[in-house]
Structures are given as structure tokens and as C-alpha cells.
């Protein structure tokens, strides 16, 4: 099985994703509703990663509340 975000090999510890970063992208897509228009275009993936990092950086996360 390959990562649904970037199509790289999945990490068994976090499958179906290859990394926590892609898992975050997946979560952000669900949260933002962009799953309505899936794309595997590399440019779109990079844009999604950038948008995710910005979104995560602007939101409080449980691991930053201490
Ligand atoms: Zn991935």
C-alpha cells in the first residue's frame, strides 16, 4: 500500500501514510473539506503541504498547550 498523500511507501507504524507529515496533510484536508477535490498532482501535494504547515502553525495543538 502506498501513501494516499504522496504515493510513497507507507510506514507500517502510521499506515496508510508514509509519515506524520502526510497524516497531518490528510487531517487538514478533512478539516478544510478539500477532499472534495482530490489530486495527485505533485504541485498540488506541495501546495497542500505548505498550506497544512501554515494551518497547523496558526492553530493551537494539544502538544503545544503545556
Ligand atoms: Zn506520504
Amino acid at each position: 500500500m502506498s501513501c494516499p498523500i504522496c504515493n510513497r511507501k507507507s510506514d507500517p507504524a502510521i499506515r496508510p501514510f508514509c509519515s506524520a507529515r502526510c497524516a497531518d496533510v490528510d487531517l487538514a484536508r478533512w478539516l478544510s473539506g478539500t477532499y472534495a477535490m482530490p489530486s495527485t498532482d505533485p504541485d498540488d501535494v506541495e501546495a497542500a503541504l505548505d498550506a497544512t504547515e501554515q494551518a497547523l502553525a496558526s492553530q493551537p495543538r494539544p502538544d503545544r498547550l503545556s
Side-chain angles (χ1 to χ4, degrees), residues 2-10 16-19 21-23 45 49:
S2 60
C3 175
I5 304 301
C6 68
N7 284 327
R8 282 190 282 253
K9 190 172 182 294
S10 297
F17 308 107
C18 69
S19 65
R21 195 174 185 225
C22 283
V45 171
L49 287 170

Side-chain angles (χ1 to χ4, degrees), residues 5-6 29 39-51:
I5 304 301
C6 68
R29 285 185 180 182
S39 173
T40 55
D41 186 299
D43 288 340
D44 285 352
V45 171
E46 283 304 310
L49 287 170
D50 288 344

